[in-house]
Amino acid sequence: MVTYIEAATAPLKNTGAIRLYGPEDFAGMRKACQLTARCLDELVPMVKPGVTTDAIDRFVFEFGMDNGALPATLNYRGYTRSVCTSINHVVCHGIPNDKPLREGDIVNIDVTYVLDGWHGDSSRMYPVGEIKRAAERLLEVTYECLMRGIAAVRPGARTGAIGEAIQTYAEAERCSVVRDFCGHGVGRLFHDSPNILHYGRANEGPELKEGMIFTIEPMINLGRPHVKVLSDGWTAVTRDRSLTAQYEHAVGVTAAGCEIFTLSPGGFDRPGLPPLKG
Ligand code: MF3
Ligand code: CO
Ligand code: CO
């Protein structure tokens, strides 16, 4: 049984009920998410061979400070950084370090700013210099998975419609969908109900309703779907060490479909890939 609850009056903890947000809440999310999107835009020219993920972490912290926002990951469940940087076979939650990025790497940069209490959660893939054709294809497939998931969002559909759209496309492209991590409700909480699975069937999961806000953040592998978490307790890698990619948007369900809160203001939704037509 799912319950839906007006966001304004609900307790600020994840009770399993799905919050429904109003126009003022949408405005708050728009602002937080656009700050995150601007940060991800600023990182485009910075991600080059030789730059360290520590430097990216510092930039994300400073950019937040300069704009009145705090990174949500800072001291979140023992995580001590402002950003996750996940390179090559790292699926998610990669911890910044002092190793320089190398030509041919692909890196996911995942930023969540808290601005006026709203969480703007988004990530993109960044190619480091020239990348191999297989890597470029994985980025294209993964971005398309995200956008097909988003296209399935409308009131009356179930969360499973998002998963089905993503899984169907990924597997048709001979890629696999990571099962161990999912999208999530987001708003005044970083991680809230509902879970948004990136696989499954359209008739599964709770019904989408106008006013829901959540992320879609598929992790897609060139090899098998299985992951393991390293001994640092965070870094998730593909078990077969195959290349993996992820893009993440935060969206709000509207009468017509959905609003993407984290769209790039500069048109850098897929850094390093050719612009989309239409
Ligand atoms: N931003 C990630 C997400 O998309 C969560 C990172 S939590 C951390 O949900 F602790 F690993 F930073
Ligand atoms: Co997220
Ligand atoms: Co994220």
Side-chain angles (χ1 to χ4, degrees), residues 222-252:
L222 276 185
R224 292 173 52 78
H226 310 103
V227 315
K228 68 176 179 194
V229 176
L230 300 186
S231 57
D232 61 24
W234 286 104
T235 312
V237 299
T238 53
R239 279 193 171 271
D240 62 8
R241 294 185 69 84
S242 67
L243 216 51
T244 179
Q246 176 181 35
Y247 292 81
E248 174 177 26
H249 273 315
V251 304

Side-chain angles (χ1 to χ4, degrees), residues 73 76 79 84 93 110 112 121 184 190-191 217 234 248:
T73 56
Y76 178 78
Y79 193 85
C84 296
H93 304 162
D110 192 339
T112 307
D121 186 7
H184 50 90
F190 191 1
H191 293 111
E217 46 183 298
W234 286 104
E248 174 177 26

Side-chain angles (χ1 to χ4, degrees), residues 25-44:
D25 306 325
F26 270 53
M29 277 302 283
R30 214 169 277 137
K31 242 180 110 185
C33 287
Q34 278 302 298
L35 184 64
T36 295
R38 270 175 53 212
C39 174
L40 294 176
D41 279 8
E42 296 279 336
L43 286 167
V44 173

Side-chain angles (χ1 to χ4, degrees), residues 15-59:
T15 59
I18 301 176
R19 281 162 226 275
L20 302 177
Y21 294 93
E24 286 172 25
D25 306 325
F26 270 53
M29 277 302 283
R30 214 169 277 137
K31 242 180 110 185
C33 287
Q34 278 302 298
L35 184 64
T36 295
R38 270 175 53 212
C39 174
L40 294 176
D41 279 8
E42 296 279 336
L43 286 167
V44 173
M46 197 177 151
V47 179
K48 287 198 180 106
V51 76
T52 66
T53 46
D54 274 345
I56 293 169
D57 183 63
R58 278 194 298 276
F59 177 83

